[in-house]
């Protein structure tokens, strides 16, 4: 029963390959994918996972095998054979990782390009349309355009995001809507202009696989297209103080109809009551959130954040102004 | 078995009485004393940092913030990381092993600048006391990265002390780096050209270059941050028109190279330890030596991979992504070379070897996750999550700390003249290996699934995995007990170590254990390469020059055979 070593090597090679490919496809390590971008990033992750599994098995297998096969026998006081190196082998294990890394760089570049198709990530984006083209009072026109502030160039929904200790505020561009959670319709590109009031925060939606720091004194950008309705957490990923772990809200991806309904109700509520407050004082934004936040949502949050507690307090004091629930 | 027969000095017994204990508490300029001072001091801080880590894990055992206050939680993880990095890993690897081993490995009597060496060490104890005293005023709590503006507005007194400590520790590190660079380049015995230098010395060369080039930038960042904090300038403070991102660039320009300062010496030690206990030459000497230099250089141009979500421009993200991935190639070369060194050897599975092989095994995991997070689109998802926590602990604990342990088991006999107890060592190894993986492997999943880092509370869906991590961390805490008992007990009453208990070939094993002051009575001559295992013939004792009493010599095969750079000629099996 002497299996020739080349056959053994072949079998091991095939086994490692099969396991790696399987792990790449079936690792199930990522949460639900709820944006167009997420699918591409998951493919990249799965490909890397397959390669990593292969290399992992190769190295760990060799070490484990050595541990048992090459242990010193009792009484053997001689050395092993003096092999100082092997140039072809060394070339191989330089060339193959180089090729993998090159491929991975190109692949990642490609994914980044398409995820980032609007060029909307980073702070270097210059051509962002900030102008308020649509007047809030012009309800009919809004309805025609399918709700929300439409970017004149494409159909993107533009939302200005502010991070502050310890809450997120979402200002729907071109309207007076300020919300403590992010409502977006499925299937429509969203563009976020992100800013921070006090310290650095980071806007992260694991289900979108996207993250962008919110930096005080600078504007950063994030673009995505949600494609699966549901409620997903928005998590602050950059240490921002004692209650960093509690700085959470959620993004609510709705059908266009549901979004429309929410949007209209907010337009009414905000233009009736509080549109001037936003401009009045630096804390207005904070207060605005309290006015438009849906108290039911707050109860759903698994960890009640300080911000939400604060907002709750404000809510109770400002009860008559509270916007109608969905 | 290839041994380096040693003709010991006639005065052997008188010379190797060891260092009187009082000397360890003095301003000694002996590099061996300083090395051990570094090692013991830093180990104490490892224990302190470890206690902080256990407190952090205890808070995280359950989803709610219910063990310490949220403010204290942030102080705990900030001080944990600061102590582990600046008071444990960097001082023990560079200051500890670097000091003890470099002069011995190159046949020098001491470091190039012994006084500077002592000063570099003696900066550390008062600084660390200062840092610990900040617990009384509320220590820094903005993370070890200390990003403004947060660092400018929380626990200001503690933050000021933190900044002062980092500046002082950085100064100490620069002094040490300068010393290593000059020592390695200038103090080798004449018979040792660069390409016969033990690989540990190559890695220390690469490390010291990084210490010299990168650390001043950290000092600069700290000075500016200190100005912002104390006198209200606005270098980084956006309320005064400063740019907090500039701080991140300056910080990571140092702190990425710093991760290589924390791993290159361990790479070097593993390259020494594996061949000795595998009884086989190191595989690909030159590739390992030059890859250290390559890593050191590349390490200087990848820092912004820590800033992929900071609003870094697209083209910069792509540049830093590609540069970071390129580092995987020289790193991979090392890993494959170590595996090939072990492959086909005659492995002596002592504690040093077990930790050495575990180092390779665990470092690979961290290297693979490193390449993954270098890919920008994926990093945007996992940045600042527990995936990063997992990555950094696989390289820093599975890498650096396993490397330190391996080094301690390997060189303890040389340092103290006593053998460590093997069964206790193996127990230590097994507990560490299990505890480590139990603590950090599940963290990959946490990060991927959506748990951010530096949080005192988390979503209940992560409760089970966090509990596993916390239990793992308790096993890790327990694992240090057999080690501490072993180290103290063996140092006092362990078996006496011979000069060369492992039959190793590098120069430090040609002098008594522990080595006398100034290391050798007569300068040693290199007659056998550092990795020439496998000759398997009894070697005649090298005859000393006629005039002197018996001298020290390292081996007796002819000079050509002992040449690591003929490696490639006899490469076929
Ligand atoms: C193949 C080699 C490696 C690659 C490609 C790599 C890549 C990376 C990248 C891209 C990050 C940033 C991730 C993020 O924050 O989103 C990172 C973080 C980190 N790496 Fe590595 N790494 C490698 C090896 C190492 C080594 C050898 C060490 C130290 C011994 C190390 C220590 C760290 C630490 C401490 C962090 C986290 C810093 C922090 O945010 O607190 N890495 N690594
Ligand atoms: Cu935060
Ligand atoms: Cu780095």
């Amino acid at each position: 029963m002497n299996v020739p070593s080349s056959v053994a090597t072949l079998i091991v090679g095939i086994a490692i390959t099969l396991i790696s490919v399987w792990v790449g496809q079936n690792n199930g390590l990522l949460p639900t994918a709820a944006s167009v971008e997420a699918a591409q990033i998951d493919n990249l992750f799965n490909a890397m996972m397959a390669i990593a599994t292969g290399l992992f098995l190769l190295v760990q297998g060799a070490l484990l095998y050595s541990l048992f096969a090459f242990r010193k026998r009792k009484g053997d006081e001689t050395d092993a054979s003096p092999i100082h190196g092997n140039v072809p082998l060394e070339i191989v294990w330089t060339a193959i990782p180089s090729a993998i890394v090159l491929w991975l760089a190109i692949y990642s570049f490609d994914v980044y390009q398409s995820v980032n198709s609007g060029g909307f990530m980073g702070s270097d984006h210059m051509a962002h349309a900030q102008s308020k083209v649509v007047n809030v009072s012009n309800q009919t026109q809004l309805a025609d355009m399918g709700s929300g502030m439409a970017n004149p160039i494409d159909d993107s929904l533009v939302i200005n995001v502010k991070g502050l200790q310890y809450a997120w505020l979402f200002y729907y561009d071109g309207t007076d809507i300020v919300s403590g959670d992010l409502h977006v319709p499925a299937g429509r590109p969203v563009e976020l202009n992100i800013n921070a009031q006090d310290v650095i925060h980071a806007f992260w939606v694991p289900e979108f696989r996207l993250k962008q720091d919110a930096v005080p004194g600078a504007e950063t950008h994030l673009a995505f297209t949600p494609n699966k309705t549901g409620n997903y957490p928005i998590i602050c990923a950059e240490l921002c103080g004692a209650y960093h772990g509690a700085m959470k809200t959620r993004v609510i991806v709705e059908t266009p109809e549901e979004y429309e309904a929410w949007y209209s109700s907010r337009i009414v509520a905000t233009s009736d009551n509080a549109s001037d407050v936003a401009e009045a004082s630096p804390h207005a934004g904070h207060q605005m959130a309290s006015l438009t936040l849906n108290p039911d949502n707050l109860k759903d949050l698994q960890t009640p954040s300080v911000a939400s507690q604060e907002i709750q307090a404000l809510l109770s004091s400002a009860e008559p102004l509270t916007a109608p629930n969905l | 078995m290839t041994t380096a027969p040693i003709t010991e000095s006639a005065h052997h017994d008188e010379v190797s009485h060891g260092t009187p204990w009082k000397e360890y508490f003095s301003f000694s300029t002996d590099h061996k004393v300083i090395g051990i001072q570094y090692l013991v001091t830093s180990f104490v801080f490892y224990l302190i940092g470890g206690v902080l880590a256990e407190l952090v894990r205890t808070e995280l055992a359950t989803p709610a913030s219910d063990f310490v206050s949220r403010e204290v939680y942030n102080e705990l993880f900030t001080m944990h990381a600061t102590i582990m990095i600046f008071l444990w890993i960097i001082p023990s690897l560079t200051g500890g092993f670097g000091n003890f081993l470099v002069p011995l490995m190159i046949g020098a009597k001491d470091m190039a600048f012994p006084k500077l060496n002592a000063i570099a060490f003696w900066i550390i104890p008062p600084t660390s006391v200062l840092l610990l005293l900040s617990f009384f005023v509320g220590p820094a709590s903005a993370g070890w990265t200390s990003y403004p503006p947060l660092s400018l507005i929380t626990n200001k007194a503690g933050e000021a002390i933190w900044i002062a400590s980092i500046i002082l520790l950085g100064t100490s590190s620069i002094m040490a780096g300068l010393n290593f660079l000059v020592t390695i380049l200038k103090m080798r015995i004449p018979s040792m050209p660069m390409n016969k230098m033990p690989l540990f010395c190559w890695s220390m060369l690469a490390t010291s270059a990084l210490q010299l080039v990168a650390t001043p930038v950290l000092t600069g960042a700290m000075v500016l941050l200190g100005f912002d904090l104390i006198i209200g300038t606005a270098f980084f403070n956006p309320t005064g028109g400063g740019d907090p991102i500039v701080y991140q660039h300056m910080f990571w320009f140092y702190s990425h190279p710093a991760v290589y300062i924390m791993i290159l010496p361990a790479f070097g030690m593993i390259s020494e330890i594996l061949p000795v206990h595998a009884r086989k030459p190191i595989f690909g000497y030159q590739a390992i030596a030059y890859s250290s230099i390559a890593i050191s250089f590349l390490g200087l141009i990848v820092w912004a991979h820590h800033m992929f979500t900071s609003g870094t421009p697209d083209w910069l993200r792509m540049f830093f992504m590609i540069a970071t991935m390129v580092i995987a190639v020289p790193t991979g070369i090392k890993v494959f070379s170590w595996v090939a060194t072990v492959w086909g050897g005659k492995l002596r599975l002592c504690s040093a070897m077990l930790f050495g092989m575990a180092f390779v095994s665990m470092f690979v995991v961290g290297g693979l996750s490193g390449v993954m997070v270098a890919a920008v689109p994926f990093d945007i998802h996992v940045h600042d999550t527990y995936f990063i926590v997992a990555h950094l602990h696989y390289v820093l604990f599975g890498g650096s700390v396993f490397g330190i342990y391996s080094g301690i088991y390997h060189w303890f006999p040389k340092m103290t003249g006593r053998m460590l107890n093997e069964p206790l060592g193996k127990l230590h190894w097994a507990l560490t290996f299990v505890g480590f993986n139990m603590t950090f492997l599940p963290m990959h999943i946490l990060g991927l699934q959506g748990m951010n880092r530096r949080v005192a509370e988390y979503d209940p869906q992560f409760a089970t995995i966090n509990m596993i991590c916390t239990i793992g961390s308790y096993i890790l805490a327990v694992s240090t007990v057999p080690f501490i008992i072993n180290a103290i007990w063996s140092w006092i009453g362990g078996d006496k170590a011979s000069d060369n208990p492992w039959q190793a070939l590098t120069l430090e094993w040609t002098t008594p254990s522990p080595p006398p002051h100034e290391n050798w009575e007569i300068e040693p001559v290199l007659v056998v390469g550092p990795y020439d295992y496998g000759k398997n013939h009894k070697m005649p004792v090298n005859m000393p020059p006629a005039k002197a009493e018996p001298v020290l010599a390292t081996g007796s095969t002819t000079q050509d055979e002992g040449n690591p750079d003929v490696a490639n000629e006899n490469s076929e099996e």
Side-chain angles (χ1 to χ4, degrees), chain A residues 9 36 58 64 108 135 137 144 150 158 179 243 247 249 253 267-268 271 289 301 323:
Chain A
T9 315
V36 173
L58 192 74
L64 216 59
S108 305
N135 192 302
S137 57
D144 285 352
V158 178
S179 175
Y243 288 84
M247 183 167 163
T249 179
V253 182
I267 285 290
V268 176
S271 55
L301 289 175

Side-chain angles (χ1 to χ4, degrees), chain A residues 16 29 151 157 194 237 255 283 318-319:
Chain A
I16 291 183
L29 289 169
N151 185 321
L157 173 63
I194 306 173
T255 61
H283 299 294
E319 206 65 75

